[in-house]
Structure formats: structure tokens, C-alpha cells
């Protein structure tokens, strides 16, 4: 079983749509969780941290379920500029483990 | 603030040749990471430095890969000899310290081994 599992997609959605990505992780010792965004042929960049109570940053909402070892990212009112690959990243023992990512394309 | 600098951006070599990549982290960042990202996968950690010491190199294929950070600033990653399966993007990242969860990535070096 992979340490981090994500639906690779691609998710093709129209502008303005709401889209959700899911992620499961296998290391129960994971302490912190992040979503990174990676544009085509670019480096990963931190999108947001994921807190136990769930957190929101503008149009983005992240949720964590430690019991199920599950993380989600919700994007509301999708913009063309949201097109990218979204990487789920748990942290354990001071080491980030990257999922393979979910590809999102927002269509005009 | 200058970001993480990497060079070269692209490299094409034949199998069994050697290649080296260079990274200059963000000024003041003590921790430096090298990742390998194969097409369609997430980045995989190869080696982590804290200043000029290796913290974790458990996933570095030491028979052909080596890395150093002699003065605790710049770092080089070398592959000798290269194999076809080494074709990937090699990403360097840095963070303020090992306890800092936020890593900043360079643009990467795209390696093609023919």
C-alpha cells in the first residue's frame, strides 16, 4: 500500500464549480498535514496547512480526519488559475511524504 | 527575498555518463533537501542536510548517487553512472530549520538519460 494515496484525476470542471479532492495516508504517526500545489513543469508550492479542526483560506477548505487517516481539500468557485496538480503531504518524523497528486483543469 | 536557485535547468546525457546538479538555498536556511520527481509521481526525498551534516540519506541510491554540502550553504548532487531510470526532475528545497514544516522549492533540474 502506498504511504499517501490520491485519486490522480484528471478532474475537468467548469469555472465557478466546486471540486473536492481526497487523500488517505498510512502512517498513523503523521503529525502535520499540508496541501501543495504544483503547476505544470514548475516546482511545488505550499497551498495551505491542514489543522485538526479543519481550516479555510478564502475559497479553499481543508479537512482532516485522523481516525480515518483521511484529508480533503475543497475548492469553491473554481478559477482558471486553479488549474494545477494538488499534492497531499503528511509530515512524520520531520519528513514530508508527497502523494502523486490530483490533476485539476478548470475549463472556461 | 531570493528563492532557492538551481542549475542547470535542463540536462541531457547518455546512460553511464556522470552529471552534477547545484543548489543554493534561501539565505539563512539551515536545512536543505534533494528530491527526485519522476513523471506522474510526487517528489521523493533523496537526502536531507542540516547545515553541512547529513540528517537522512536512507532513500539515496548510494551506489551511484552522492551529495555534499561542504560549507553548509550550497549543495551538489551527483549521479555516476546514470541509468535510464534516473530520468526525472531533481528538486532542491530549503527550510529555516528541521523543525520548520515549510519547505521552499527551487525550479528543479530536468534530467533526461538516453
Amino acid at each position: 500500500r502506498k504511504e499517501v494515496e490520491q485519486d490522480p484525476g484528471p478532474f475537468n470542471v467548469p469555472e465557478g464549480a466546486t471540486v473536492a479532492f481526497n487523500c488517505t495516508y498510512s502512517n498513523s504517526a503523521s503529525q502535520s498535514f499540508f496541501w501543495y500545489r504544483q503547476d505544470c513543469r514548475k516546482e511545488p508550492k505550499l497551498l495551505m496547512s491542514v489543522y485538526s479542526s479543519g481550516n479555510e483560506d478564502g475559497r479553499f477548505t481543508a479537512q482532516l480526519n485522523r481516525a480515518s487517516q483521511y484529508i480533503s481539500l475543497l475548492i469553491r468557485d473554481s478559477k482558471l488559475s486553479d488549474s494545477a496538480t494538488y499534492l497531499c503531504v503528511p509530515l512524520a518524523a520531520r519528513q514530508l511524504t508527497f502523494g502523486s497528486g490530483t490533476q485539476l483543469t478548470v475549463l472556461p | 527575498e531570493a528563492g532557492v536557485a538551481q542549475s542547470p535547468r535542463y540536462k541531457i546525457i547518455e546512460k553511464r555518463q556522470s552529471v552534477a546538479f547545484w543548489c543554493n538555498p534561501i539565505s539563512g536556511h539551515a536545512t536543505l533537501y534533494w528530491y527526485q520527481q519522476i513523471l506522474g509521481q510526487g517528489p521523493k526525498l533523496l537526502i536531507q542536510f542540516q547545515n553541512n551534516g547529513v540528517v537522512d540519506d536512507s532513500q539515496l541510491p548510494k551506489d551511484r548517487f552522492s551529495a555534499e554540502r561542504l560549507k553548509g550553504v550550497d549543495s551538489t548532487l551527483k549521479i555516476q553512472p546514470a541509468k535510464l531510470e534516473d530520468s526525472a526532475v531533481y528538486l532542491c528545497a530549503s527550510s529555516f530549520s528541521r523543525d520548520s514544516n515549510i519547505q521552499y522549492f527551487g525550479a528543479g533540474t530536468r534530467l533526461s538519460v538516453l
Side-chain angles (χ1 to χ4, degrees), chain A residues 2-3 8 32 34 36 38 40-46 49 87 91 93-101, chain B residues 9-10 33 35 37 40-45 48 56 58-59 91 98-99 101-103 105-108 110:
Chain A
K2 288 183 180 178
E3 285 192 64
S32 303
F34 308 91
Y36 275 71
Q38 187 169 26
C40 188
R41 301 179 78 86
K42 300 282 191 181
E43 72 273 22
K45 291 184 179 177
L46 179 65
S49 304
L87 303 165
L91 173 77
R94 297 176 173 175
Q95 187 175 117
L96 297 178
T97 300
F98 287 81
S100 295
Chain B
R9 288 297 313 276
Y10 305 92
Y33 313 80
Y35 289 86
Q37 186 172 22
Q41 299 181 20
K44 183 185 87 171
L45 180 68
Q48 177 181 349
D56 183 354
S58 57
Q59 298 189 85
L91 293 160
R98 288 188 68 200
D99 293 321
N101 296 330
I102 299 175
Q103 296 182 18
F105 285 81
R110 187 172 300 272

Side-chain angles (χ1 to χ4, degrees), chain B residues 24-76:
Chain B
N24 183 254
I26 292 173
S27 177
H29 280 195
T31 311
L32 184 147
Y33 313 80
W34 282 102
Y35 289 86
Q36 179 193 58
Q37 186 172 22
I38 293 172
L39 187 64
Q41 299 181 20
K44 183 185 87 171
L45 180 68
L46 293 175
I47 188 166
Q48 177 181 349
F49 291 94
Q50 177 68 13
N51 297 310
N52 61 349
V54 175
V55 172
D56 183 354
D57 63 357
S58 57
Q59 298 189 85
L60 188 73
K62 298 180 188 64
D63 57 334
R64 298 183 301 105
F65 286 64
S66 64
E68 60 184 17
R69 194 184 183 201
L70 293 176
K71 297 182 179 179
V73 180
D74 294 8
S75 177
T76 55

